[in-house]
Amino acid sequence: MTYRRAVMPALAGGLLLTALLWWVGASAHALRLPGATGMLDGQAAAELEHWLTPWSYDPPASAQFGTNVSGGSGGAAGTAGTNYLALYVTAMQIRFGAVFAFFVPGALLLVRRLPPVRGRMPAALLAIWAWGVVAGVLAVTISTPWLIASGGNGSFRFLPRLAGAISSGRQVLVVTALVAAALTVVIARVAANGAGPLTPEAVPARAARLAATVGTAVIALSLVVLSYLPVAAAIQQVSPDIGLFAEPGDLLRQWLLLGGWSGPGGTPLGAWLLYRSGDVLLLAVVWWVLRRLPGLFTRATVPAMAAGAVCATVLGLLASQLLRVVLDGVGSSVRWDLLRLSAGIGEGVPAALTWGLVAGSAAALTLRVAGGGAKTADATTPVEGSAHLA
C-alpha cells in the first residue's frame, strides 16, 4: 500500500486515540461525585480514578503545592502557584500531542507494510493495537518531566519519580488503543480497495524460523536472565551519585525487564510452574508472530520487522498478563474484583519497546543472511508467497 493510501487511516486512528484519552481524562473528576461513589463502592471508584488521572487536565494535589515552594506571600505566592499550574497544563498538552505524534508514524508504517486485506485483517488490528499502547507510554514518558517540575521540587529523586510516573495510565491505554486500532483498520481496508495486488515474494521457511528463533532469544534475555530476581535487584540498586540523574536503578529496571521471577522457594512446584506459564506464553507468542511476519509484510524491511517485533512483544505481555489475571482470580478469595486483578495490565511496555526493537532488527538481519541461499519457499503464509528481503 502506498503512503498516500495509508496516511488517512493513520491520521484518523491517531486523532481518535488522542480524543479518547482526553475524554477519559476529563471524566476522572466525575468519579469523585457522590453519585459515582454511590453506584460504585469507594475502593472501586478510587481505583478507576487512579487509572484515569494521568490523562486528566485537573491537577492533582502535588501540582498545587507550588504555592508553598516560593516561600513568599500574597501576590508572590499566587504568581508561583499560577506558574506551577501552567507547567502542569503544558505537560498535559505535550502528553496529548505526543500520543498523536508517536502513533501516526508507527501506524503509517504498519498499515503500509501490513495492509488489512483478506488474510491480514486480524494481524493488522493486533499490531496497530499494540503500537497504540506503545505510543501512549512514550507520550507519558516525554511529558513526565514537566509534571514533576509542576510539583515544585523537580530535582529531588528525579529518575525514580520519572520511573514511577511512566507506568501510570497504562490500563486505560489498552482499551482506548484497541478502539483506535479498529477504526484505523476499517479505514485502511477501504483505502486498500483498488490498490492492486499486494502479494509479497516468497521467504524460505528455514530462514523465517531461524529469524524468529533469534528474535525470541533476544526477548528471552530480558525475560529469563535479566528478570531473575537477584539480577533484577542488582539492576535496581544501581545508584551512581550524578546529581539530577542519580539513582537510575528504577528507570533501568523498567526499560530492561519484562518481568520478575525466582525459584519455587516455599511455593509448591506445581503452582510455581503454573504461574511461570505466563512467561512461556509470552515467548511462544513472540516466536509465532516473528515466524509469521515475513509472510505477512509486503516487504520485510528492518524498520517494519523492528516495529513488528515491538508489537509482538507487547501482545505477548498482554497475553501473559491476562493469563495471570485468570490464575489470580481462580486462586483469590475475591474472585470478582476485576479492577484489583487487572491492575498489572500493560506493565513492561517500555522494556517491550527496548527489546522489541533489538529483536526485530536481529530477526531482519537473520532473514537477509539466511534467506539468500535457501530454496524452499514458506508454505504456511496466508497469502501466496511471502516477503521480499530488503
Side-chain angles (χ1 to χ4, degrees), residues 21 43 46 53-54 82 131 136 147 159 197 221 231 236 306 313 321 330 341 351 376:
L21 290 172
Q43 185 177 0
T53 297
T82 302
W131 183 255
L147 285 181
L159 292 184
L221 173 64
V231 180
Q236 190 166 8
T313 311
Q321 290 160 2
V330 170
L341 294 174
T376 304

Side-chain angles (χ1 to χ4, degrees), residues 319-330:
S320 66
Q321 290 160 2
L322 288 175
L323 176 61
R324 283 171 182 162
V325 167
V326 174
L327 295 177
D328 290 341
V330 170

Side-chain angles (χ1 to χ4, degrees), residues 25-238:
S27 304
H29 73 281
L31 294 169
R32 296 192 291 267
L33 299 176
T37 55
M39 184 175 63
L40 304 170
D41 64 85
Q43 185 177 0
E47 184 70 15
L48 281 175
E49 184 182 0
H50 177 70
W51 290 6
L52 302 184
T53 297
W55 304 100
S56 174
Y57 266 88
D58 295 334
S62 60
Q64 300 171 5
F65 289 162
T67 55
N68 299 325
V69 174
S70 66
S73 60
T79 301
T82 302
N83 291 337
Y84 285 113
L85 182 60
L87 271 176
Y88 183 88
V89 173
T90 299
M92 298 310 299
Q93 290 171 345
I94 293 172
R95 179 163 297 185
F96 286 108
V99 168
F100 181 82
F102 283 119
F103 179 86
V104 171
L108 182 62
L109 175 64
L110 290 171
V111 169
R112 186 165 186 263
R113 296 300 182 198
L114 188 59
V117 294
R118 180 173 299 180
R120 294 192 183 101
M121 283 282 289
L125 175 63
L126 292 174
I128 297 172
W129 175 31
W131 183 255
V133 177
V134 173
V137 171
L138 287 174
V140 171
T141 304
I142 292 297
S143 59
T144 293
W146 280 265
L147 285 181
I148 294 175
S150 70
N153 54 352
S155 61
F156 174 70
R157 290 178 57 83
F158 175 74
L159 292 184
R161 294 167 66 193
L162 177 63
I166 286 173
S167 62
S168 62
R170 60 185 185 276
Q171 300 91 346
V172 174
L173 271 173
V174 173
V175 178
T176 54
L178 179 59
V179 178
L183 177 69
T184 304
V185 167
V186 169
I187 297 177
R189 180 68 181 88
V190 175
N193 291 332
L198 297 172
T199 304
E201 299 179 3
V203 164
R206 179 177 175 276
R209 287 193 295 267
L210 181 59
T213 303
V214 170
T216 305
V218 173
I219 301 300
L221 173 64
S222 170
L223 184 65
V224 177
V225 179
L226 298 184
S227 295
Y228 183 50
L229 288 188
V231 180
I235 294 174
Q236 190 166 8
Q237 290 170 2
V238 174

Side-chain angles (χ1 to χ4, degrees), residues 203-221 282-295 300 305 308-309 312-313 355-356 358-368 370-371 378 380 389:
V203 164
R206 179 177 175 276
R209 287 193 295 267
L210 181 59
T213 303
V214 170
T216 305
V218 173
I219 301 300
L221 173 64
L282 192 160
L283 293 176
V285 169
V286 170
W287 189 92
W288 186 80
V289 173
L290 290 179
R291 169 67 179 81
R292 303 280 289 177
L293 278 180
M305 286 295 293
T313 311
W355 294 104
V358 178
S361 301
L365 293 176
T366 303
L367 273 175
R368 175 177 295 183
D378 186 352
T380 64
L389 303 182

